[in-house]
Amino acid sequence: MLTEALEGLAAAGGSAVVGAAATDAWNTARAGVARLLGRGDSGRERYAIERLDRTATEIEQAADGMRQQLRDKLRGRWTGRLEILLEEHPEAADELRELIERVRAELPRARESWVQNNTAEAGGIQYITQGGDINVGRGGRSGD
């Protein structure tokens, strides 16, 4: 039975695999996970590569509305595979941890966006900006 820490590591690995699909980090994730699962057996490594490639293809071909649901399902599958790996080869934990860090470093940074809601009531006026300055009023010029 896995410790909670190893379960968390397997879950992070499953997230890294699915998160890397269709990104520049895919080759790193694909090669690293195949090597980990193969454990030196070229046949098992090829089989892992086939499964990884199916994962990437499924995600790429999924309809936009179904992509997140599919990612969740595939994340669970890869987490399960990595849990089995860690049960059978607990010494692989450090390798998996290093792979996750490399994959995360290659993933595109999340784009941040903000939403600002403003309401002017009873004839009120608002001057709003997201970035920069707004100077409202006379600005202190003489003669105004």
Side-chain angles (χ1 to χ4, degrees):
M1 180 158 214
L2 287 179
T3 65
E4 192 173 313
L6 289 179
E7 285 178 355
L9 181 60
S15 292
V17 168
V18 173
T23 71
D24 291 340
W26 179 243
N27 288 332
T28 299
R30 179 182 183 263
V33 171
R35 187 181 62 254
L36 276 169
L37 293 176
R39 306 305 297 157
D41 180 320
S42 61
R44 287 192 318 193
E45 193 168 326
R46 277 193 308 275
Y47 181 67
I49 286 172
E50 289 172 11
R51 290 176 121 174
L52 287 157
D53 288 344
R54 274 197 308 266
T55 293
T57 300
E58 285 181 55
I59 291 171
E60 288 174 12
Q61 294 178 351
D64 287 339
M66 298 301 294
R67 191 165 286 138
Q68 187 57 48
Q69 183 179 359
L70 176 62
R71 283 180 177 278
D72 292 342
K73 181 173 113 178
L74 293 170
R75 184 179 306 111
R77 283 186 191 167
W78 283 106
T79 296
R81 288 181 184 117
L82 293 171
E83 285 177 345
I84 292 168
L85 168 72
L86 294 173
E87 283 177 353
E88 295 174 356
H89 303 279
E91 72 278 5
D94 287 337
E95 291 175 69
L96 178 57
R97 197 171 289 110
E98 289 171 13
L99 175 62
I100 292 167
E101 289 174 16
R102 283 196 321 269
V103 169
R104 285 181 177 165
E106 291 182 26
L107 287 173
R109 297 286 166 227
R111 292 175 46 154
E112 295 179 348
S113 62
W114 292 268
V115 174
Q116 179 177 341
N117 296 308
N118 303 289
T119 305
E121 296 181 6
I125 299 173
Q126 295 184 352
Y127 302 94
I128 302 160
T129 184
Q130 287 184 331
D133 297 327
I134 294 180
N135 297 308
V136 179
R138 300 216 151 148
R141 294 184 306 183
S142 63
D144 285 342

